[in-house]
Amino acid sequence: MTFGRPFQVAAVVATSLLLAACQAPTGLSQGRQLGVGSDKARPQVQQSAARTGIDVPLAWGGQLRCGKEGCRLVAVEHEKSTVVLYEVQGRQARLLDRQPVAYHPDGAIWLADDLVVAAVEGSFSLDVFRVVQGRLQLLQQIPIGISPRDVVLVQGSEGRFRLLATPYSGKEVVWVDYAPDQPDATRVQRALWCEAPWHPVRVHRAPGAPYGGVVTACLDEKRVVFVPEGDLLGVARNLVAVPGEVRIVPRQTRPSPSGRWLYVALETGGRNLRFDMDSGELQWIAAPLLGTVSVLPLADDLVIWAADSRLYFQRLAGDGAVLETRWLPVDGFATGLQLVDADVDGVQDLVVYNSAALPKKMGVEIIYGPLWEQAQPNMP
């Protein structure tokens, strides 16, 4: 496997974008809890947002979890073939452990406060680690027969977990039923979806499927597919397919907090889209840059998009028209975005996972809220 695919957007985005992260970091906000309140009720002043940079080279994936052990970050160092564990406390990050895995780990998530799973290309496996006294101890390596790009926790209760692994390339996805206390009972099942189904996500509703299911962008096909909750092993059906000659390259999908809208980041074309999960309406959203790599909705009408070395926030009208755009520089190619209260102050913060960082820049950044008000009105 190569690590060139995350650079597809960078190839079409102007070289000047790479200079943005060299400027002083500016901020974001999220008022009330997310900073999405009326701008008329607060001064129109942008302030620099505090941030913590964590040196995780080529952070293709990771997750910050705040639980009974405090806030801990698990992430992968893609090119170094390691899984790392950090403690995040008082806006400081401290390395707890670093463990080697096979060639090119692509993602890592938490299953519980003391349980981590990493998707590893070279070993065609999901590697499960137990966190014991701040150390990562390999618990089990689950062979899945594909080189996984992503691993997602779809269901979990009473120590039993249903995981979804999707491939770096190819159409085959793998469902894994796993219980750490019963490793011999691990069940692996396969299904065919679409070519390069990257970054799947759980949704709670979709047209014709009131109980939701799983959605993924098909990076190498002109569509987004959906598998309903009641038939997760069934055939993936088209959810978003653009007719005619319009060429889209869907990179990532994420639902809005209410579940009404599914936002789709498009790798090319200078626009993105959102899909109404009730009516099936598709809306095009104008983008200020040529390509977008990831997306994170903060509300139904407020969304963060990531491009090379930049995040941009858009507040949208009901028809998808852009009402306002604000900006924030980041340290690289922001493949992953996560919303979490990292400093436990009651305000949501933004964790950015840069799958490719600029020289001497950070692979993981925690940008502390409030978010929207502190973002800048002009492109950095």
Side-chain angles (χ1 to χ4, degrees):
M1 294 295 154
T2 68
F3 61 93
R5 199 191 285 265
F7 295 90
Q8 290 176 347
V9 173
V12 297
V13 179
T15 304
S16 61
L17 300 186
L18 295 174
L19 301 177
C22 297
Q23 300 179 15
T26 53
L28 297 173
S29 148
Q30 285 193 2
R32 318 251 192 234
Q33 288 297 317
L34 286 176
V36 188
S38 170
D39 288 334
K40 296 179 180 179
R42 55 177 63 87
Q44 298 300 297
V45 176
Q46 279 75 37
Q47 300 177 353
S48 295
R51 65 176 69 195
T52 297
I54 305 175
D55 188 12
V56 182
L58 297 180
W60 271 44
Q63 189 176 36
L64 179 64
R65 180 184 179 98
C66 295
K68 64 181 182 181
E69 300 295 332
C71 292
R72 289 182 171 181
L73 171 77
V74 62
V76 297
E77 297 176 333
H78 179 72
E79 191 65 17
K80 291 186 175 182
S81 297
T82 58
V83 177
V84 295
L85 178 68
Y86 279 85
E87 179 183 65
V88 178
Q89 186 177 23
R91 299 191 175 184
Q92 300 291 321
R94 179 172 68 94
L95 177 66
L96 297 179
D97 197 17
R98 174 182 279 112
Q99 291 295 324
V101 293
Y103 182 71
H104 279 181
D106 285 5
I109 60 172
W110 292 92
L111 301 183
D113 284 341
D114 64 344
L115 207 61
V116 166
V117 59
V120 186
E121 286 185 40
S123 54
F124 296 82
S125 68
L126 300 180
D127 292 6
V128 183
F129 295 86
R130 179 82 70 185
V131 180
V132 180
Q133 296 181 343
R135 303 281 293 180
L136 293 165
Q137 296 183 0
L138 183 63
L139 191 62
Q140 185 173 356
Q141 187 175 78
I142 305 172
I144 58 173
I146 65 171
S147 291
R149 172 62 183 91
D150 293 286
V151 58
V152 176
L153 175 62
V154 176
Q155 297 169 348
S157 64
E158 299 180 350
R160 304 186 68 87
F161 307 98
R162 170 161 279 192
L163 306 174
L164 171 64
T166 57
Y168 181 93
S169 61
K171 297 183 178 182
E172 189 175 57
V173 305
V174 177
W175 291 95
V176 178
D177 293 305
Y178 174 67
D181 296 334
Q182 298 176 297
D184 294 339
T186 301
R187 183 172 61 169
V188 176
Q189 297 173 288
R190 307 177 189 283
L192 294 177
W193 281 9
C194 61
E195 187 64 37
W198 279 25
H199 310 313
V201 65
R202 182 80 179 272
V203 297
H204 295 291
R205 69 200 213 227
Y211 300 106
V214 176
V215 170
T216 191
C218 302
L219 181 64
D220 293 337
E221 295 183 15
K222 195 171 68 173
R223 59 194 181 120
V224 173
V225 300
F226 169 75
V227 176
E229 172 76 22
D231 190 21
L232 292 176
L233 292 171
V235 176
R237 63 181 173 90
N238 282 350
L239 185 68
V240 180
V242 178
E245 298 301 318
V246 178
R247 176 63 177 167
I248 66 170
V249 182
R251 179 85 181 203
Q252 189 180 91
T253 67
R254 290 294 181 263
S256 64
S258 75
R260 178 188 173 186
W261 294 103
L262 182 74
Y263 282 84
V264 184
L266 300 183
E267 196 173 81
T268 59
R271 57 181 175 172
N272 297 299
L273 60 84
R274 66 178 182 178
F275 180 80
D276 192 317
M277 297 291 263
D278 294 327
S279 69
E281 177 190 5
L282 188 152
Q283 294 181 350
W284 293 101
I285 302 172
L289 301 174
L290 293 178
T292 303
V293 63
S294 61
V295 59
L296 178 64
L298 300 180
D300 279 352
D301 61 351
L302 181 61
V303 59
I304 305 173
W305 307 97
D308 192 19
S309 302
R310 286 178 170 84
L311 306 179
Y312 61 95
F313 291 59
Q314 289 183 323
R315 193 188 293 276
L316 305 174
D319 62 356
V322 178
L323 301 177
E324 186 177 1
T325 301
R326 296 187 182 184
W327 298 86
L328 180 75
V330 289
D331 277 356
F333 200 71
T335 299
L337 303 173
Q338 180 190 359
L339 202 63
V340 61
D341 184 4
D343 56 356
V344 198
D345 65 352
V347 178
Q348 295 293 293
D349 310 308
L350 183 67
V351 187
V352 179
Y353 300 88
N354 294 310
S355 61
L358 295 172
K360 299 182 181 180
K361 296 293 183 178
M362 296 293 105
V364 177
E365 299 171 86
I366 304 173
I367 304 171
Y368 297 99
L371 294 171
W372 162 258
E373 295 85 353
Q374 297 179 80
Q376 300 299 300
N378 300 314
M379 183 188 300

